Each structure stands twice: as structure tokens, then as C-alpha cells.
Amino acid sequence: NNRYLISVLLTTNFDNFLYMKYYGLRNQGATCYLNSILQALFMTREFREAVKSCSKHHKDDINVQLNTLFESLKKKTSETTEVTKTLRIEKVYEQQDAGQYLEKILSDVSDEASKVFKGELIHRTVCDQCGSHTDDEVPFFFLSLPLMDSSNGNYSVEDGIQAFLK
Ligand SMILES: [Zn+2]
């Protein structure tokens, strides 16, 4: 639920295109959940470049669709119809979960592109008798954070991460 959870894309390579104009993605109905993901992916230079280099030896898959969209987004307001077709989103008037589609896109793109966002969580179970522990390593593409109201009335992602790691 996008009102209570925020997905943090774990990358520090967000571009700041100070020199260029930003363009939007047209909403096909209720595809804003998808548009927000696509814009975040577009703004991540490392991801954009990986998708570009992979699209050269791929045909008609998500790498190619994303690269075509990203090239278009540099110049004009763009359509997402080809991307929704590739993702098999038919009900464009239905709101979907952003995190779920981020995961789907990152699972479908090349390894080179998906690794830009890949992290690993370690779930540690500690025995309260002897203190020994076992670790479970779980790969992830995003974290669902509780939105914490900070003292000045703004929501803080940092507080959300702290709460998540507790
Ligand atoms: Zn024990």
C-alpha cells in the first residue's frame, strides 16, 4: 500500500540532470505506480547504461523496451504502452503495487542491470540460551519501510530504515 510504505531504491547513483529538462510519462489510466518506478530507473545512470548496452544483443524484451523509453524520455513526454505490453499489464485502469512491478522489472532485465539495485538482507536468529546464531541470507531489490513521522512533521526515510533494521 503506497500510502503507508515507501520503497527505497538502494543506489547512490541518482543522476541530477541539472542541465536538462525533465519529461513526464503519460498515464494510461491508473499506471502512475508504474510511471514512478520507470522514472526512478531512468534517473539511475548506472541502470540506464546497463539497459542500453544489453539492448544491443537482445530483441523485443524488457531491456529493449526500457532503453527505447529512456531514449525517448530524454527528449519528450513519453508513452508506456510498449512497456505495459511487455509486462503483460492489460488492466491499465487498475491500480497495482509499485513494489511488485519494480521486482518484476528487475527480475526480467539482464543481470548486469538488476545488480545495480540488488542488496542482501541477513536474518539472524540468536539462541537465548547459548548465544549461538544462524544466518539466513535473502536477496532483495527494495525495502518496505514504515513511514515515521519525524519531529518537524515530515516523514523521514532515515527513521524508516532505522525502524526497519530494529
Ligand atoms: Zn543454544
Side-chain angles (χ1 to χ4, degrees):
N1 186 322
N2 297 332
R3 285 181 64 181
Y4 300 108
L5 300 174
I6 183 164
S7 300
V8 175
L9 302 174
L10 286 182
T11 176
T12 50
N13 282 314
F14 246 49
D15 267 351
N16 49 348
F17 285 124
L18 291 172
Y19 56 92
M20 72 183 266
K21 191 167 157 33
Y22 296 102
Y23 294 99
L25 291 166
R26 226 179 292 279
N27 195 336
Q28 292 183 53
T31 53
C32 45
Y33 67 93
L34 180 68
N35 289 359
S36 63
I37 300 166
L38 293 172
Q39 288 283 10
L41 294 176
F42 169 71
M43 293 297 283
T44 307
R45 194 187 58 239
E46 221 179 325
F47 184 81
R48 219 171 49 231
E49 285 168 359
V51 155
K52 186 177 192 163
S53 77
C54 292
S55 71
K56 285 174 193 148
H57 41 88
H58 285 248
K59 260 189 176 181
D60 298 329
D61 69 1
I62 190 75
N63 292 281
V64 178
Q65 296 307 339
L66 288 178
N67 185 49
T68 306
L69 179 68
F70 292 167
E71 288 306 311
S72 167
L73 256 186
K74 290 177 186 170
K75 298 169 219 138
K76 59 179 202 272
T77 301
S78 304
E79 309 288 339
T80 56
T81 40
E82 292 306 313
V83 175
T84 48
K85 229 183 271 172
T86 305
L87 292 173
R88 294 196 190 88
I89 298 172
E90 279 152 18
K91 296 174 179 166
V92 293
Y93 288 93
E94 218 168 72
Q95 185 69 238
Q96 301 286 341
D97 182 56
Q100 185 195 328
Y101 275 91
L102 175 67
E103 205 150 55
K104 177 158 179 42
I105 290 171
L106 291 176
S107 314
D108 290 353
V109 292
S110 66
D111 291 347
E112 192 189 340
S114 70
K115 77 168 186 224
V116 175
F117 289 97
K118 205 173 210 166
E120 198 168 71
L121 270 180
I122 297 173
H123 295 283
R124 173 165 291 185
T125 311
V126 184
C127 172
D128 63 6
Q129 303 292 311
C130 67
S132 70
H133 61 80
T134 51
D135 288 345
D136 273 326
E137 288 164 20
V138 189
F140 70 94
F141 286 128
F142 69 96
L143 301 175
S144 292
L145 303 178
L147 287 180
M148 309 291 285
D149 203 350
S150 67
S151 53
N152 59 7
N154 293 322
Y155 287 104
S156 161
V157 173
E158 276 180 39
D159 291 350
I161 291 174
Q162 292 298 337
F164 179 86
L165 293 176
K166 262 183 197 163

